[in-house]
């Protein structure tokens, strides 16, 4: 009877494969989001670098929710820096989350004796 309970608790091959695929897809989604945010961060840095030497009263345009609005450099530059800092914080949080999830996946693979076949 104890053999039946042990067999019932142990996940079968299909369940393990589903869990491994879920781990893998979560890791890919997080990595994709990190890449997307890094591109946005690079764009913000480029714009900040370009706008910093400009006079504060110079006219500039900013796209906000699909609407192009006219502003001046002294209004836009602080907002860009705040957005850049927020993006950097998000990237570091996602990186931490990715590392934690990757470690969980690694532990899952070791615990269940799973090897991922490379294509």
């Amino acid at each position: 009877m104890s053999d039946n309970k042990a067999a019932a608790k142990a996940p079968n091959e299909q369940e393990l494969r589903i869990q491994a695929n879920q781990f893998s897809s979560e890791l890919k989604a997080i990595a994709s989001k990190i890449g997307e945010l890094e591109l946005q961060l690079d764009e913000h840095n480029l714009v900040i670098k370009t706008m910093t030497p400009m006079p504060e009263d110079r006219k500039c345009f900013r796209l906000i929710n699909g609407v192009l609005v006219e502003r001046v450099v002294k209004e836009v530059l602080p907002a860009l820096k705040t957005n850049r800092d927020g993006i950097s914080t998000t990237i570091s949080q996602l990186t931490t989350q990715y590392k934690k999830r990757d470690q969980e996946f690694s532990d899952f693979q070791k615990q269940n004796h799973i090897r991922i076949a490379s294509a």
Side-chain angles (χ1 to χ4, degrees), residues 1-66:
M1 181 146 281
S2 64
D3 290 337
N4 289 341
K5 287 182 182 178
K9 290 181 182 179
N12 64 24
E13 183 180 332
Q14 184 178 4
E15 290 170 345
L16 291 174
R17 187 175 296 131
I18 290 170
Q19 286 179 316
N21 287 340
Q22 285 175 341
F23 271 114
S24 182
S25 65
E26 285 178 23
L27 288 171
K28 286 178 186 175
I30 293 170
S32 174
K33 189 63 179 176
I34 290 171
E36 180 183 319
L37 289 173
E38 284 176 342
L39 287 174
Q40 285 185 12
L41 184 64
D42 289 343
E43 289 176 6
H44 276 71
N45 285 329
L46 179 63
V47 172
I48 289 169
K49 181 181 175 184
T50 303
M51 291 181 75
T52 299
M54 293 181 180
E56 289 186 341
D57 61 340
R58 181 171 174 170
K59 184 187 342 179
C60 64
F61 294 91
R62 183 171 181 208
L63 191 64
I64 301 175
N65 294 330

Side-chain angles (χ1 to χ4, degrees), residues 66-113:
V67 178
L68 195 60
V69 294
E70 185 178 325
R71 298 279 190 242
V72 292
V73 171
K74 79 176 179 187
E75 294 174 353
V76 173
L77 204 52
L80 282 172
K81 289 179 180 178
T82 302
N83 287 350
R84 177 194 59 192
D85 296 342
I87 291 170
S88 294
T89 302
T90 304
I91 289 172
S92 64
Q93 289 171 348
L94 284 173
T95 302
T96 302
Q97 182 181 351
Y98 182 88
K99 288 177 183 176
K100 178 182 173 192
R101 204 66 180 141
D102 191 41
Q103 184 60 46
E104 289 174 5
F105 186 37
S106 211
D107 294 343
F108 171 79
Q109 288 175 316
K110 288 176 187 173
Q111 178 184 359
N112 294 295
H113 309 291

